Amino acid sequence: MSLKLYRITTTLDNHPDYGAKFKKDADEIFSFFRLDIGDEEKIKRRRLDFAAGEGYTLENIENTDYIDCPCALLFSKRFVERVGNILREELQFFPCTLICQDVNLDWYAAKIIRSIPIIDKEASTYRTLSDGEKMLKYVKYRGDIKEQFFLARDKESITDWIVSELFLDLCKDNDLLIHFYEANKWSCIDEG
């Protein structure tokens, strides 16, 4: 039987600025965490400071365990303490600072380790670049994945990633605060 696939977002997604960004040199961070390019030891030595979007306050940031960020997946300390060990084959966690209202909070930037073919290439739509290269425009995920996994990135389009129903169940069982959306629909179905 195939796993159900989901996308995730923060539980506080009703404000236009409920994301986070890296404070400086975001290209190196994006390359390491999203493109799997770079020196892990260098990343471990550097200070990882992320700024929470203006939609976050010290009060409401406690109501989410995941924050969207273009250059890395950001998970709360609570998330890592509760399920980090279970996910160690699929995510590598790096301590970071999330700055919210000028207060430093302990969070974790995560790098996806597992990669499998998750994109349905025939059902997805593409746009053609000026040099003739095709680039994904609207991603459709495969509905026939039988491999058991919590979270994975695509084997070819490595910036595209997905979570499975196993991840959803793990979050629910550990009272973690993350919104889940059916992968090919983007309508909220659950709050983990």
Side-chain angles (χ1 to χ4, degrees):
M1 188 160 133
S2 300
L3 288 173
K4 290 182 181 175
L5 303 177
Y6 300 93
R7 302 282 299 155
I8 62 173
T9 190
T10 178
T11 54
L12 307 170
D13 59 0
N14 60 354
H15 187 282
D17 196 10
Y18 271 133
K21 62 184 176 191
F22 193 66
K23 294 280 285 185
K24 59 183 176 185
D25 301 327
D27 289 346
E28 180 183 25
I29 300 305
F30 178 82
S31 293
F32 180 77
F33 285 98
R34 295 294 182 115
L35 300 178
D36 200 21
I37 298 169
D39 181 359
E40 181 178 324
E41 291 307 313
K42 184 177 178 185
I43 296 296
K44 285 180 178 177
R45 286 191 306 269
R46 102 176 260 186
R47 185 177 166 107
L48 299 176
D49 289 338
F50 294 86
E54 291 179 8
Y56 289 104
T57 65
L58 291 174
E59 293 77 35
N60 72 15
I61 205 161
E62 293 298 320
N63 295 322
T64 194
D65 289 301
Y66 171 77
I67 294 179
D68 299 315
C69 180
C71 54
L73 309 181
L74 298 181
F75 291 98
S76 69
K77 183 177 179 181
R78 173 178 53 222
F79 179 92
V80 173
E81 288 173 348
R82 291 182 186 179
V83 299
N85 196 44
I86 295 167
L87 298 172
R88 72 184 174 280
E89 300 295 319
E90 298 185 20
L91 284 175
Q92 185 176 6
F93 295 100
F94 294 81
C96 70
T97 300
L98 181 64
I99 302 163
C100 179
Q101 295 183 320
D102 297 323
V103 174
N104 293 349
L105 304 173
D106 293 331
W107 273 62
Y108 288 83
K111 179 179 180 178
I112 300 171
I113 299 168
R114 178 168 286 199
S115 65
I116 59 176
I118 60 173
I119 294 176
D120 183 336
K121 292 180 181 180
E122 292 188 18
S124 295
T125 58
Y126 300 81
R127 65 184 176 108
T128 305
L129 302 177
S130 59
D131 64 359
E133 182 183 350
K134 293 201 178 245
M135 182 177 205
L136 278 168
K137 185 175 181 180
Y138 297 107
V139 175
K140 287 287 189 179
Y141 297 95
R142 292 178 42 216
D144 62 348
I145 299 174
K146 303 224 183 320
E147 184 174 344
Q148 300 290 299
F149 72 96
F150 290 102
L151 188 145
R153 62 186 165 104
D154 188 67
K155 203 138 189 101
E156 292 179 24
S157 181
I158 61 175
T159 57
D160 290 299
W161 57 278
I162 205 79
V163 303
S164 75
E165 64 188 281
L166 300 176
F167 185 87
L168 182 144
D169 292 342
L170 181 67
C171 290
K172 277 183 165 180
D173 292 346
N174 286 279
D175 298 319
L176 295 169
L177 305 171
I178 298 174
H179 272 176
F180 290 84
Y181 297 84
E182 287 186 36
N184 289 320
K185 293 186 180 170
W186 278 100
S187 57
C188 187
I189 58 100
D190 198 6
E191 293 184 23

